[in-house]
Amino acid sequence: QVQLVESGGGLVQAGGSLRLSCAASGRTFSSYAMGWFRQAPGKEREFVANIRGGGSTLYADSVQDRFSISRDNAKNTVYLQMNSLKPEDTAVYYCAAADYAFRTPTNIKQWGQGTQVTVSS
């Protein structure tokens, strides 16, 4: 089973950028759909973006054109480049792995531990 470790969270001013990384263990990384969810205090976990093994991507409307997901199968790593950050992007960001592309947490096979992103106004 794949294990996921996120990094790259932190505090940034509105309009700034951050890049999150998610390093995965296991030999079958390229076969997984990988992605990101986020959860703000008092809110449900929400879909952010995912990327299939072949590279096709899917984004939530709220981050389309600001965030970019990518993966390096040779490094077993998925990235989330976040630009033009807004205070409402503040949340714990979770890396996720599944057998198929996803928009909901239902079929997620493995979660990372989460990394905090805080955007100040």
Side-chain angles (χ1 to χ4, degrees), residues 22-37:
C22 174
S25 64
R27 303 180 199 176
T28 58
F29 173 79
S30 62
S31 70
Y32 287 106
M34 300 295 299
W36 297 88
F37 286 79

Side-chain angles (χ1 to χ4, degrees), residues 14-92:
S17 298
L18 281 174
R19 188 175 82 154
L20 305 183
S21 299
C22 174
S25 64
R27 303 180 199 176
T28 58
F29 173 79
S30 62
S31 70
Y32 287 106
M34 300 295 299
W36 297 88
F37 286 79
R38 66 187 182 186
Q39 189 165 19
K43 295 189 176 181
E44 294 186 350
R45 193 168 295 192
E46 67 172 358
F47 170 74
V48 175
N50 75 42
I51 182 167
R52 294 181 179 179
S56 60
T57 59
L58 187 65
Y59 295 93
D61 291 344
S62 59
V63 305
Q64 184 80 47
D65 297 328
R66 298 189 298 122
F67 290 10
S68 178
I69 189 170
S70 61
R71 65 190 296 161
D72 185 335
N73 288 336
K75 295 183 178 180
N76 281 13
T77 302
V78 62
Y79 305 97
L80 184 68
Q81 178 66 44
M82 305 185 293
N83 299 326
S84 302
L85 281 161
K86 305 175 181 180
E88 51 263 44
D89 294 317
T90 295
V92 177

